[in-house]
Amino acid sequence: MDKIYNLESDSSMLDELWDCIRHRNIEQKFLYQWDWAELYYLQKHSNTMYIGHTLEKEDFLEFYKKNINKNDNSKFDIISLWCGNSENEVSILENINTSHITYYGVDSSKSMLELSVENLKHLEMDKKFICTDFSTNVFRQELTQLTYNSEDKIFVFFSNTFWNLQHTNVIDILQNLLNKGEKLWLDLRTRKWTTIEDDLEISTILADDLHRKEVRNSFLEILKWYGVDISSGELILKTTKVDIINALKFEFSFLLKEKSILDIKWQKIVILPWETIKIQQIYSFSPEWLVNFFHEHGFKLIDKQIKWYRGQFLFEKE
């Protein structure tokens, strides 16, 4: 069984969570910590945004063969940021020659990494799993040492994770994490066009999540765990248009209708009626803007593929 190298601790995670709730803003990574990793995939695999007319596993494999596949035996590292259960990576790795590849699964959730270990256990290849936040300097230093002898690296950012993050924050992290010539492969949700009708369609799909049991369980379990009475509030969605980046922004929050007192690591937090706790934000980008955004931050586009509301993009650090 592959081991998980832990750069995080439950204590530091709880300190961070306490800070998030004090700011009424729970970060994405806390939605699938501990026992909630499987809840995340239950809602994802039943979500219309992830099924139907969209990129399939075969699309990712063909994209790899077209743009990344190496015919020589030079040492090659695939570094998956926020790897989750590595389901996309599994479908690629089991169909290519991995004798010269090292796979690094990086996630801040040990539970997610345990799912990755299980999903990849049948592959006879070099695998390493690191429990940490990839934005930290500790991870950057650790990765430099681990990949010292690597002749090439590609960073993958799958499962639509990019659209959950503040774009200005993550692009600066990636810009400092990658070296010149290294590649970044990501997939995310896109706007098909920018008409009112198309924006209404994607808004309607996301608004339906408010009523889906799988989404409610995934989003609200963390609040229930810390003593929030979910029956005394409601999950709400706010949609805005961010013109400067040509994107739609969707914010899921929990609106409390009664006073609630939480206790995290023996420290109390008082939340008053009609306060909201932001649980998740989602951006839907236009592909043209995304390419330009990365270009302005020193990444050139190698290739892209768009299907319905999902696209995969390959960039190289200039």
Side-chain angles (χ1 to χ4, degrees):
M1 180 68 72
D2 293 296
K3 294 182 178 180
I4 297 173
Y5 183 31
N6 199 341
L7 299 182
E8 300 280 347
S9 69
D10 284 347
S11 178
S12 63
M13 290 292 289
L14 287 173
D15 284 337
E16 194 174 346
L17 177 59
W18 181 60
D19 183 67
C20 287
I21 294 182
R22 284 190 295 110
H23 287 89
R24 309 300 191 257
N25 182 3
I26 297 176
E27 289 189 15
Q28 159 85 4
K29 65 182 180 181
F30 287 109
L31 297 181
Y32 50 77
Q33 293 292 334
W34 304 298
D35 296 331
W36 309 318
E38 293 187 2
L39 286 177
Y40 170 81
Y41 282 103
L42 281 175
Q43 72 91 2
K44 176 182 175 182
H45 291 156
S46 63
N47 193 325
T48 55
M49 292 296 290
Y50 292 89
I51 56 179
H53 304 290
T54 186
L55 293 173
E56 305 289 348
K57 291 180 179 178
E58 294 77 11
D59 292 308
F60 289 96
L61 179 59
E62 291 306 313
F63 196 83
Y64 176 92
K65 290 179 177 178
K66 176 185 176 184
N67 295 293
I68 302 165
N69 193 41
K70 291 179 171 293
N71 296 318
D72 58 23
N73 290 316
S74 57
K75 183 171 170 52
F76 177 45
D77 293 334
I78 297 177
I79 302 156
S80 181
L81 307 175
W82 273 15
C83 66
N85 69 358
S86 299
E87 60 184 2
N88 273 21
E89 295 91 315
V90 171
S91 64
I92 297 167
L93 293 172
E94 63 188 7
N95 288 289
I96 63 174
N97 174 23
T98 59
S99 60
H100 58 300
I101 295 175
T102 299
Y103 174 74
Y104 292 87
V106 183
D107 205 289
S108 58
S109 167
K110 187 179 179 183
S111 298
M112 281 294 190
L113 291 172
E114 288 170 349
L115 294 178
S116 281
V117 170
E118 179 66 22
N119 287 338
L120 288 160
K121 68 180 183 181
H122 65 289
L123 295 178
E124 295 293 332
M125 63 175 297
D126 190 11
K127 295 163 286 184
K128 303 184 188 304
F129 300 92
I130 307 172
C131 186
T132 190
D133 186 333
F134 72 85
S135 67
T136 64
N137 286 328
V138 172
F139 168 67
R140 214 171 292 162
Q141 294 166 4
E142 190 69 27
L143 186 66
T144 299
Q145 294 181 19
L146 289 171
T147 62
Y148 181 77
N149 292 319
S150 173
E151 297 177 45
D152 199 2
K153 292 196 287 286
I154 179 168
F155 292 79
V156 299
F157 207 2
F158 286 154
S159 297
N160 202 29
T161 306
F162 188 87
W163 89 328
N164 297 129
L165 304 172
Q166 177 67 29
H167 52 283
T168 52
N169 178 35
V170 71
I171 193 64
D172 287 335
I173 293 170
L174 294 171
Q175 185 182 42
N176 287 282
L177 183 59
L178 273 71
N179 296 317
K180 183 177 180 180
E182 294 177 346
K183 293 180 176 61
L184 173 69
W185 182 11
L186 61 88
D187 76 298
L188 76 166
R189 296 296 158 182
T190 60
R191 298 170 74 183
K192 286 195 295 186
W193 295 281
T194 54
T195 66
I196 294 176
E197 291 78 12
D198 292 306
D199 287 347
L200 181 60
E201 181 179 348
I202 191 172
S203 299
T204 300
I205 292 172
L206 285 165
D208 288 343
D209 284 348
L210 294 173
H211 312 291
R212 290 177 55 233
K213 178 181 69 174
E214 296 88 352
V215 173
R216 294 181 61 82
N217 288 343
S218 179
F219 283 6
L220 301 179
E221 193 66 26
I222 190 169
L223 297 181
K224 289 168 60 178
W225 198 61
Y226 281 107
V228 175
D229 182 2
I230 301 303
S231 64
S232 66
E234 64 177 311
L235 189 64
I236 61 175
L237 174 64
K238 178 182 178 182
T239 305
T240 55
K241 193 172 182 180
V242 187
D243 291 326
I244 194 170
I245 56 173
N246 196 21
L248 298 178
K249 182 180 180 181
F250 305 92
E251 286 187 0
F252 288 90
S253 302
F254 187 72
L255 173 65
L256 287 91
K257 297 181 181 179
E258 296 180 7
K259 182 178 178 178
S260 189
I261 301 176
L262 310 187
D263 193 335
I264 301 178
K265 289 188 70 174
W266 308 283
Q267 301 185 82
K268 294 189 182 301
I269 297 176
V270 177
I271 306 176
L272 298 177
W274 308 111
E275 284 193 66
T276 59
I277 301 175
K278 189 172 114 179
I279 297 174
Q280 188 178 61
Q281 68 180 18
I282 292 171
Y283 289 90
S284 184
F285 305 106
S286 70
E288 295 77 13
W289 172 85
L290 184 77
V291 171
N292 183 64
F293 179 70
F294 271 84
H295 173 71
E296 292 293 336
H297 289 83
F299 291 87
K300 67 178 180 180
L301 179 70
I302 303 299
D303 198 5
K304 69 176 191 278
Q305 180 188 15
I306 311 291
K307 273 192 178 181
W308 199 47
Y309 284 119
R310 191 176 184 183
Q312 57 177 328
F313 302 79
L314 181 65
F315 295 96
E316 182 178 298
K317 176 73 180 295
E318 295 181 303

